[in-house]
Amino acid sequence: MSEDTSGETRPAAPVLLTGASGALGRVLARELAAKGWQLRLTDIAPFPDEVPAGATFEAADLLDRAAIARLAKGCGAILHFGGTSVERPFDEVFGPNVQGLYNIYEAARAAGARVVFASSNHTIGFHTRSTTIDPDSPYRPDSYYGASKVWGEMMGRLYWHKHGVESVLVRIGSCFPEPVDARMLATWLSYGDLVRLCERAVLAPQVGCCVIWGASHNSRMTWWEGDARDLIGWQPEDSADGYAGTVGDKTSGDPVIEAHQGGAYVKMGWTRA
Ligand code: 15L
C-alpha cells in the first residue's frame, strides 16, 4: 500500500489506530497526526487528549466485529495497539487479544489493509539472556499475555499466506519514556524510534509478513538479530546506553528473572519447583 516511491511521508489512505488511548497509542496519535496523517483513532476507553487535527476518535470494543470492520473500511493500514498490554488472568487476555485479533484481521482482509501488529518480546520471553535468537527461533511465551501475542503473530502469518494481507509484526521490547532497570538497557525502545518504525511499517512498499525487533540501538541488545528492518527501511536512532550509569545496577535479585529475556513475566504465576 506504500506511497513512498516518490519520497512521500504520508499514506494516501486513512490509517486506523487501535489502542489510541493507551500510552503508546497517544504518542502515535500525536506524532503521526503532526506529520499530516489521516488517523482514525479507536479504543474502548475515552481518548484522554484533545483529538489531533486530521484525526477522528470513536470508542469501540475490539470484540465488536461490526464496529471494527466499519472503522477499518477505506483504510490502507491498521496500527493495532489495542488489547490487554500486560499479564492478566487468562479470561481478561482472551477476549481482546484472541477474539479481538480475529476481528482485526477480518477487517483488514475486507478493507485490503496492511496490519502493523504491536507484538511483544513476551512471545519469546523464556529464551535465556545468554542466547541470541532470530525471528525463526521457537516461540517461548512467558505469560498468557505473551501467548496471546504469539496467536496474533500466527494470525498475521495465516492471513498473509491465505489472503495476501500484509503484516509487520513488531516484537516490542520495553517502550517507555526512558529505561528504568538494567534489563531495559537491552530491551528499551524510545518513543521516537517507535514512531519512526510505525511510519516505515506503513509506508514501506512491500512487507509480506515480517518480524521487527522493537528495540533502540542499545549496545546491550545482543539477544535479537536478523529481522526485516532493511526491508521496511528502519534503523533505530536512539540508545539506552547513556542510562547505564543510572539503571545498570537495578536488577530484581531473582536468578530466574535475571536469566530470561522476558524478565519479571517469567515468574508471574510460576508454580514450578
Ligand atoms: C510488554 O509487552 C508490555 O506491554 C510492557 O508493559 C512491558 O512489560 C514490556 O513488555 C517489557 O517487557 O518491558
Side-chain angles (χ1 to χ4, degrees), residues 28 35 47 53 55 69 83 109 122 133 147 185 199 230 246 264 272:
L28 290 168
K35 291 174 188 284
F47 191 64
R109 184 175 68 83
H122 296 291
I133 58 173
L185 294 174
E199 203 178 344
D230 290 344
T246 47
R272 196 167 160 171

Side-chain angles (χ1 to χ4, degrees), residues 24-241:
L24 304 190
R26 290 168 70 189
V27 170
L28 290 168
R30 184 182 68 231
E31 299 297 325
L32 296 176
K35 291 174 188 284
W37 287 32
Q38 291 175 70
L39 295 175
R40 291 186 197 164
L41 310 177
T42 186
D43 199 297
I44 197 166
F47 191 64
D49 307 321
E50 195 175 322
V51 176
T56 57
F57 176 80
E58 184 180 323
D61 188 336
L62 289 171
L63 297 183
D64 185 342
R65 193 168 299 163
I68 298 300
R70 181 170 42 73
L71 281 162
K73 193 171 177 189
C75 288
I78 302 174
L79 289 167
H80 182 46
F81 280 69
T84 301
S85 63
V86 291
E87 178 64 333
R88 299 294 302 157
F90 175 74
D91 290 337
E92 288 178 42
V93 174
F94 181 76
N97 290 17
V98 177
Q99 288 181 291
L101 255 291
Y102 172 75
N103 295 341
I104 290 291
Y105 271 96
E106 272 302 285
R109 184 175 68 83
R114 176 184 296 176
V115 178
V116 179
F117 174 51
S119 183
S120 172
N121 73 89
H122 296 291
T123 54
I124 51 78
F126 265 113
H127 283 279
T128 59
R129 296 187 191 183
S130 55
T131 320
T132 301
I133 58 173
D134 66 30
D136 293 326
S137 299
Y139 286 108
R140 289 195 186 164
D142 57 24
S143 48
Y144 298 125
Y145 164 71
S148 77
K149 293 293 185 181
V150 174
W151 162 256
E153 292 196 6
M154 291 297 102
M155 290 295 277
R157 291 176 202 268
L158 170 64
Y159 274 69
W160 167 240
H161 291 295
K162 188 163 277 191
H163 304 297
V165 173
E166 290 191 306
S167 282
V168 180
L169 311 171
V170 185
R171 291 188 185 161
I172 298 173
S174 307
C175 194
F176 292 95
E178 48 188 42
V180 298
D181 59 23
R183 172 175 168 271
M184 289 194 196
L185 294 174
T187 60
W188 186 58
L189 175 66
S190 73
Y191 283 170
D193 281 336
L194 171 76
V195 171
R196 290 183 285 271
L197 198 172
C198 288
E199 203 178 344
R200 291 307 312 154
V202 169
L203 292 171
Q206 286 175 345
V207 300
C209 179
C210 67
V211 171
I212 305 286
W213 297 111
S216 287
H217 188 58
N218 312 324
S219 59
R220 299 191 192 193
M221 211 289 274
T222 53
W223 309 341
W224 305 329
E225 65 181 15
D227 67 7
R229 61 192 57 199
D230 290 344
L231 176 68
I232 69 165
W234 174 74
Q235 283 295 333
E237 296 174 18
D238 297 323
S239 173
D241 293 1

